[in-house]
Amino acid sequence: MFKIIGILLGYYFLGIFGAFAGYIVGSIIDRYQAYGAGAINPLTSAHRQTVFIETVFILMGKLAKADGHVSQDEINHVEDFMRKLGMSSEHRQLAIALFKQGTAADFDINSKLNEFMAVCGHTNSLKQMLLVYLIVMALADGRLDAAEEGLLKDFAFHLGYDQSAFKQLLEMVLGQSHFAGGQTTSASALDDAYKALGVSKESSDQEIKRAYRKLISQYHPDKLMGQGVPEDMISMATAQTQEVQTAYDLIKKSRNM
């Protein structure tokens, strides 16, 4: 929208050169509104993608080593995770190497988190998507043990989440996971649905709609790729979107919204 406004104003005041300048300024404003401050320059997208994928799989390695050793089951979970993502062969090989790097006892995880914050920390949703990927990975075996949860808390704190915000995100992802495959038949399905949207039974219809729209926007493929999530890692966000939609539909039905 601002591109059009910029072109019209620029042409009105300065002619053809003004229209060109207005287009550039309008494009910057549009990208800021859509993706956040960190995504204003599209030329940095490739660098953000590199840092994002490095951080995801290095932290996954650290997470797998949370209990002191990496089991074959955990390795299988990572490989299954990559298959579900539909990653390219090149990215899979890189991801495996990064995962192994993260399991090394002497690897400085803080330096990687600092780099992530410097490159991706000002881009909308990337910090949250990093934590979502890690929580989903930790839940791959159907449970979240104390060591994994403690390490996830440490990651979240480094990313700027306080204890309350992390707990809400964790409960939201846990709630969403109960709707994988469109399941809505469990006894606690409605409670899980509220958690999946980050709201409660006391929330108004309007608050629930706002929460739903915010999540759908955060998981939108074009927005995530614009912010720096590699294209072959978008399928996980698509699955989260489907789970959010199923949870929202259940709440709508129960409230006659």
Side-chain angles (χ1 to χ4, degrees), residues 12-143:
Y12 179 80
F13 287 106
L14 298 171
I16 189 67
F17 293 108
F20 180 70
Y23 173 81
I24 294 174
V25 173
S27 296
I28 291 173
I29 296 173
D30 283 340
R31 287 190 66 82
Y32 177 83
Q33 286 200 325
Y35 306 133
I40 287 176
N41 183 0
L43 299 178
T44 64
S45 180
H47 184 43
R48 288 197 306 274
Q49 286 186 10
T50 299
V51 172
F52 185 84
I53 197 171
E54 286 178 356
T55 308
V56 166
F57 285 98
I58 284 175
L59 295 191
M60 280 185 180
K62 195 72 173 177
L63 200 57
K65 196 72 177 291
D67 59 357
H69 71 283
V70 182
S71 69
Q72 185 59 47
D73 283 343
E74 286 168 324
I75 294 172
N76 292 340
H77 288 321
V78 174
E79 292 176 344
D80 185 54
F81 181 79
M82 288 188 288
R83 280 193 293 271
K84 288 179 179 178
L85 288 176
M87 296 178 71
S88 66
S89 176
E90 179 184 358
H91 275 177
R92 285 182 65 180
Q93 291 301 315
L94 173 63
I96 292 169
L98 291 166
F99 177 83
K100 291 178 179 178
Q101 190 177 355
T103 64
D106 59 349
F107 184 81
D108 182 11
I109 206 72
N110 289 329
S111 64
K112 177 51 64 178
L113 283 165
N114 289 338
E115 181 187 14
F116 177 86
M117 288 298 291
V119 177
C120 304
H122 301 294
T123 305
N124 290 351
S125 300
L126 278 189
K127 291 186 291 185
Q128 180 163 319
M129 285 309 303
L130 172 62
L131 284 174
V132 168
Y133 279 124
L134 294 172
I135 293 170
V136 169
M137 174 58 206
L139 292 170
D141 59 357
R143 59 188 176 85

